[in-house]
Amino acid sequence: MPDTYCTADTTDSRAFRDALGRFATGITVVTIPTRDGPMGFTANSFASVSLDPPLVLWSPARSAARFPFYAAARHYAIHVLGAEQSDLSGRFVRGGAGFDGLAHETDAKGVPVLPQALARFDCLQVATHDGGDHLIIVGRVLRVSARPGQPLLFSQGEYGRFVPGL
């Protein structure tokens, strides 16, 4: 075992976060319509749940300022970002520009969509579950679209890209 390997109790939140950071994730932007205009949220807590019926989940933090809007949203879109789209990820984090000055479209349900995303899942919220300091939101996928390309990845606090064939 390498000398840098360490074990800590899960009450050490920094150690727990650092260990979770060893798992590379994709980056998504979840969008919803609001009375004040389109809203987006960068998230890496996205996963497939079921193929039949087609279900996915994502988990916003309860402490997020935009949390009440996402918890209540009936329809939303989850956009998987491509390796060249780290700028989009930054737009939808706390303090980011969001939709200001960003070209986008609206789907039939009024949800703002980013047409250049690597993949998009148009969803209807079908369930929520307690996830501690997060809410687990399960959506039925109503429509899906995808384009060729590599995903934007996140691990240990940094963006990266998938390298096939390793």
Side-chain angles (χ1 to χ4, degrees):
M1 199 172 343
D3 292 341
T4 58
Y5 191 86
C6 68
T7 302
D9 190 279
T10 58
T11 58
D12 179 346
S13 62
R14 182 75 257 164
F16 183 55
R17 286 180 64 102
D18 288 348
L20 289 171
R22 300 308 192 264
F23 183 71
T25 64
I27 299 293
T28 66
V29 172
V30 183
T31 58
I32 59 171
T34 71
R35 289 185 198 137
D36 296 328
M39 186 177 287
F41 191 107
T42 297
N44 66 348
S45 59
F46 167 73
S48 63
V49 175
S50 170
L51 292 175
D52 186 19
L55 301 174
V56 296
L57 68 79
W58 79 287
S59 303
R62 293 179 187 278
S63 63
R66 295 170 277 177
F67 174 80
F69 296 99
Y70 281 91
R74 183 118 171 98
H75 291 274
Y76 57 93
I78 299 175
H79 305 79
V80 175
L81 299 186
E84 73 287 356
Q85 295 179 307
S86 62
D87 60 320
L88 274 178
S89 174
R91 290 184 75 92
F92 297 101
V93 298
R94 184 182 354 213
F99 278 98
D100 290 344
L102 181 65
H104 67 281
E105 299 170 0
T106 304
D107 73 7
K109 301 291 185 186
V111 177
V113 295
L114 307 171
Q116 68 273 31
L118 186 62
R120 189 178 89 221
F121 302 87
D122 297 345
C123 300
L124 169 67
Q125 186 186 107
V126 295
T128 61
H129 304 280
D130 180 38
D133 61 1
H134 284 64
L135 179 68
I136 300 166
I137 299 175
V138 178
R140 182 180 181 105
V141 179
L142 305 175
R143 184 171 182 261
V144 64
S145 61
R147 66 167 173 83
Q150 295 296 321
L152 178 63
L153 299 180
F154 187 77
S155 178
Q156 301 177 61
E158 295 186 60
Y159 290 118
R161 60 180 58 228
F162 176 71
V163 180
L166 290 182

